Amino acid sequence: MILTVVLCFFVLLLTGMPIGFILGIAGVVGLYGIGGDYMMVMGAKRFFEGLDLFTFMAMPFFILAGEIMNRSGITVRLIQFAEALVGYLRGGLAQSNMLASVLFAGMTGAAVSDAAAFGNTLVPAMVKKGYNRPFACAVTAAGSIIGPTIPPSNLMVIYGSLMGVSISGLFAAGIIPGLLIAVTCMAMIAAFGRRWKLPKDKRGPSLRHILSSFRSSLLAIIMPVIILGSILAGITTPTEAAAVAVAYALFVGTVIYRNISPKDLLDMLVRTAKITGVVFLIIASASIVGWWMTFNQIPQMIADLFLGISSDPAIITLLILLMLITIGMFMDINAVLIILAPVLVPLTTAIGMDPIHAGIMIILALNISLMTPPVGACLFVLSSVTGEKVEKISVALWPFLLVQLTVLILIAFWSGLTLTIPRYLGF
């Protein structure tokens, strides 16, 4: 019966059916194989229970906060501040792109949102300044995965909720890896800048310009401080902080900047509902598959398979990373996380890896797969908003991909980089 479910899954995947429906159908086929019509009740039960977690409420709030910030002009102000800080460097606008990704990451937690926002704003600006369009798209794609790595992160919410791991602890653990990705990518841009003589701002560094941009973007910069500070200080839960983020962004957009109309708000609510509905359908359907896998002891089989190949923790860690990146190249990463986390976390525990460390490693690997063809979501978003071909973006992206894979290996084998801040905060 296991073979039947696997074949059902991959056949439906090849037809192009949405992953949420594929998981639901495959799960129901598996339940029918266990107990016929009698087990169909379990499918409905798991579909509901898969979403019956309070922490999942944080996701639509963070998505809506990102929509409001994009519409209200907060994103543009962050970009202007980043450009004032590093725009005078060789390749300065590319550096600004990466730095703006760091600033924007502390608000939305979604790579696709970052890619869409900067694809509409920074990529045209970079092309206008003389950058090659595929390179501009590659920089934007590389920076976009900082969003779900630096907290808040929707993937961290899903992982923490499913595996019973502290979401606040995961948020704290993602800070250093996210910053490390930004620093290494900026170093790569600096190397390209000298070699390719990339454009730079002719004005040069200006303290007055920096202070002016800082004042203009202060309300935007305060937002991640409010979100992360309240969570890490234990004042709010991630869900409560997400609601505060929406209220703050809405106040700034409607009262301070005054550029959000009732129609804009309706459009943002509809878009948030659509995005959340897709993610929640995947989570609910994957819950059915997860129960079926647990019933058939598939996680234990996979763990035994890995341990049968080698008992060396380093080899097992590399096999896990290879599996995640390979599968993430072909499937929605939310679905991959929901299906594989219950399988892989017991395996990482068996080799002595801390659950928070394992979570960050898994999430970072899946984030990187957002940039890899053939199903890299960030690639297709950038292609759609800029008109550039996915193939050309992929070629320009390879140097950044190699750098980020190096960071992934470093994070996987050096737990101190991930756990220093959580341990300091008591997680």
Side-chain angles (χ1 to χ4, degrees):
M1 191 63 202
I2 292 177
L3 181 59
T4 301
V5 174
V6 172
L7 286 174
C8 174
F9 176 87
F10 282 105
V11 168
L12 292 176
L13 190 65
L14 291 174
T15 65
M17 180 181 290
I19 189 66
F21 294 117
I22 295 173
L23 291 170
I25 293 171
V28 168
V29 170
L31 293 178
Y32 187 84
I34 294 173
D37 294 339
Y38 176 77
M39 288 301 295
M40 293 298 99
V41 177
M42 178 58 69
K45 184 172 183 292
R46 287 308 312 163
F47 192 89
F48 172 78
E49 291 181 352
L51 294 175
D52 190 22
L53 290 170
F54 175 74
T55 50
F56 280 154
M57 289 181 63
M59 293 177 60
F61 282 122
F62 280 131
I63 293 169
L64 179 57
E67 291 291 322
I68 295 172
M69 285 183 292
N70 281 335
R71 194 70 64 94
S72 66
I74 291 177
T75 304
V76 174
R77 285 172 168 82
L78 289 175
I79 292 171
Q80 290 172 346
F81 178 55
E83 189 172 0
L85 289 174
V86 296
Y88 63 89
L89 299 173
R90 178 70 65 182
L93 198 52
Q95 300 280 19
S96 303
N97 192 328
M98 199 62 61
L99 185 57
S101 295
V102 174
L103 297 174
F104 199 53
M107 304 179 192
T108 61
V112 174
S113 297
D114 292 13
F118 294 152
N120 276 319
T121 53
L122 273 173
V123 170
M126 291 176 69
V127 172
K128 188 175 180 180
K129 285 285 184 72
Y131 288 84
N132 177 276
R133 187 184 299 274
F135 177 76
C137 291
V139 171
T140 304
S144 69
I145 74 159
I146 297 173
T149 305
I150 290 180
S153 166
N154 291 332
L155 286 178
M156 292 179 189
V157 172
I158 294 173
Y159 176 88
S161 301
L162 293 178
M163 304 312 302
V165 178
S166 168
I167 297 175
S168 299
L170 289 166
F171 280 7
I175 295 173
I176 292 179
L179 292 176
L180 192 57
I181 289 175
V183 169
T184 53
C185 286
M186 291 177 78
M188 178 67 71
I189 293 169
F192 285 146
R194 290 191 298 270
R195 182 176 178 182
W196 296 346
K197 298 189 182 303
L198 295 177
K200 64 178 181 178
D201 195 333
K202 296 180 180 179
R203 287 184 295 185
S206 168
L207 181 60
R208 177 179 295 180
H209 182 43
I210 291 173
L211 291 176
S212 174
S213 299
F214 177 75
R215 284 195 298 269
S216 175
S217 60
L218 182 59
L219 292 174
I221 295 171
I222 289 174
M223 189 171 176
V225 177
I226 294 174
I227 297 173
L228 298 182
S230 61
I231 294 173
L232 299 180
I235 299 172
T236 65
T237 65
T239 302
E240 293 166 345
V244 170
V246 171
Y248 180 84
L250 195 57
F251 175 79
V252 171
T254 56
V255 178
I256 306 299
Y257 298 155
R258 298 182 182 180
N259 53 6
I260 294 181
S261 66
K263 183 181 182 301
D264 291 333
L265 183 57
L266 178 61
D267 291 341
M268 290 184 289
L269 288 171
V270 170
R271 179 171 168 78
T272 299
K274 289 179 179 179
I275 296 172
T276 304
V278 170
V279 176
F280 278 10
L281 175 62
I282 293 171
I283 293 173
S285 299
S287 178
I288 302 174
V289 175
W291 188 92
W292 171 80
M293 292 174 66
T294 302
F295 182 88
N296 286 283
Q297 298 186 324
I298 293 176
Q300 290 87 338
M301 293 180 188
I302 294 176
D304 292 341
L305 175 63
F306 274 54
L307 293 172
I309 295 174
S310 174
S311 59
D312 186 344
I315 299 298
I316 293 175
T317 300
L318 289 173
L319 289 173
I320 290 173
L321 294 178
L322 181 62
M323 172 188 287
L324 288 168
I325 292 175
T326 302
I327 297 177
M329 290 171 63
F330 298 95
M331 282 181 60
D332 178 271
I333 64 170
N334 294 293
V336 176
L337 180 64
I338 295 161
I339 295 171
L340 291 185
V343 175
L344 298 178
V345 170
L347 183 58
T348 59
T349 302
I351 61 175
M353 189 176 289
D354 183 274
I356 290 179
H357 179 207
I360 296 300
M361 179 188 75
I362 291 170
I363 288 167
L364 182 55
L366 292 176
N367 286 341
I368 290 174
S369 70
L370 284 170
M371 306 188 310
T372 54
V375 192
C378 289
L379 295 180
F380 285 96
V381 167
L382 282 166
S383 177
S384 64
V385 300
T386 65
E388 188 57 77
K389 293 183 178 179
V390 171
E391 299 82 15
K392 291 185 177 180
I393 300 174
S394 300
V395 171
L397 189 59
W398 274 109
F400 295 102
L401 185 59
L402 292 176
V403 166
Q404 293 183 354
L405 286 172
T406 302
V407 173
L408 173 62
I409 296 297
L410 191 62
I411 293 299
F413 290 98
W414 186 0
S415 62
L417 284 176
T418 301
L419 298 177
T420 297
I421 295 180
R423 284 171 177 166
Y424 178 77
L425 296 174
F427 292 109

